[in-house]
Amino acid sequence: MPALRSRLDSFLAAVEKRAYRMAHLATGDREEALDIVQDAMLSLSARYGDKSEADWRPLFYRILQNRIRDWRRRNIVRTRWRTWLGFSGDAEDRRESDPMQQIPDQRYRPDREAMHGLAIGDLDAALASLPLRQQQAFLLRAWEGLTIEETARAMRCSGGSVKTHYHRAIQRLRHLLEGHDDR
């Protein structure tokens, strides 16, 4: 059993950063993304830790995508209530007034940021502008390297739907990032 736990820990460590990026792209909020990824990891460990290692990847990404979808649904309801009740300002405005958020990130490296900042920003904006299902299909297929079947299981749809969403995502990204090499 300790060997299985060790392999599960290694698996989670391997997917952690990419899962965070997926959640962050979908939510636009670092803290929410961290919560979503942590919840997905805990759920995989608690419910499916005894499954075979080959099943962990598609199961984890299905859980992650479900958590992202749930977050979006809750966020829509929250936004409606805030608007209806007359609250203004979003989470970003509230964070900007928080003094703890004003502390500089110690991991910031100006040389790396200068090289990749513009390209990464453009790519992030393009990915964030994709509809959720296209975003999921693209990230799971292109970024995570899941097969069509694994992606279909993670997204709970058919392989044909995965192909369609992936194709549309590629076309949209090509259009949005057209001429990017000229910079």
Side-chain angles (χ1 to χ4, degrees):
M1 195 66 164
L4 181 64
R5 176 53 81 194
S6 175
R7 289 193 307 269
L8 181 60
D9 288 344
S10 295
F11 167 77
L12 293 174
V15 298
E16 177 182 26
K17 288 181 182 176
R18 291 186 310 272
Y20 168 76
R21 287 292 289 145
M22 293 173 99
H24 186 254
L25 282 169
T27 63
D29 185 288
R30 292 188 315 188
E31 287 79 20
E32 293 289 346
L34 287 171
D35 288 345
I36 288 169
V37 171
Q38 183 179 27
D39 189 41
M41 288 179 164
L42 288 172
S43 184
L44 179 75
S45 297
R47 294 182 183 169
Y48 304 108
D50 58 344
K51 294 273 188 188
S52 74
E53 289 183 55
D55 292 335
W56 287 344
R57 242 169 104 88
L59 284 169
F60 174 74
Y61 286 110
R62 176 184 293 172
I63 294 166
L64 180 66
Q65 296 308 321
N66 286 340
R67 295 299 186 269
I68 290 170
R69 222 176 348 269
D70 292 345
W71 178 86
R72 282 201 172 190
R73 287 181 190 132
R74 282 192 312 272
N75 200 40
I76 289 168
V77 171
R78 281 188 212 128
T79 303
R80 268 192 220 135
W81 279 105
R82 285 185 190 128
T83 303
W84 185 71
L85 294 173
F87 293 115
S88 63
D90 59 7
E92 193 65 35
D93 293 337
R94 288 189 298 278
R95 269 196 303 281
E96 287 177 4
S97 65
D98 182 359
M100 292 303 288
Q101 295 298 324
Q102 303 304 317
I103 297 172
D105 187 356
Q106 298 300 317
R107 296 170 301 203
Y108 177 75
R109 291 183 36 206
D111 58 330
R112 185 172 144 212
E113 193 68 25
M115 273 181 19
H116 301 291
L118 185 58
I120 289 172
D122 290 348
L123 180 59
D124 280 351
L127 286 170
S129 74
L130 292 175
L132 180 61
R133 298 297 276 177
Q134 289 178 21
Q135 189 182 86
Q136 291 171 334
F138 178 80
L139 292 174
L140 292 172
R141 291 279 294 131
W143 199 355
E144 291 303 318
L146 269 65
T147 65
I148 292 171
E149 295 78 23
E150 291 171 331
T151 304
R153 278 191 295 175
M155 292 177 62
R156 287 192 173 159
C157 64
S158 69
S161 291
V162 168
K163 291 177 186 178
T164 300
H165 290 305
Y166 182 69
H167 176 74
R168 289 178 181 166
I170 293 290
Q171 295 303 315
R172 179 79 177 136
L173 289 172
R174 282 184 182 150
H175 173 73
L176 292 172
L177 298 173
E178 189 174 19
H180 195 280
D181 293 335
D182 297 340
R183 290 184 185 178

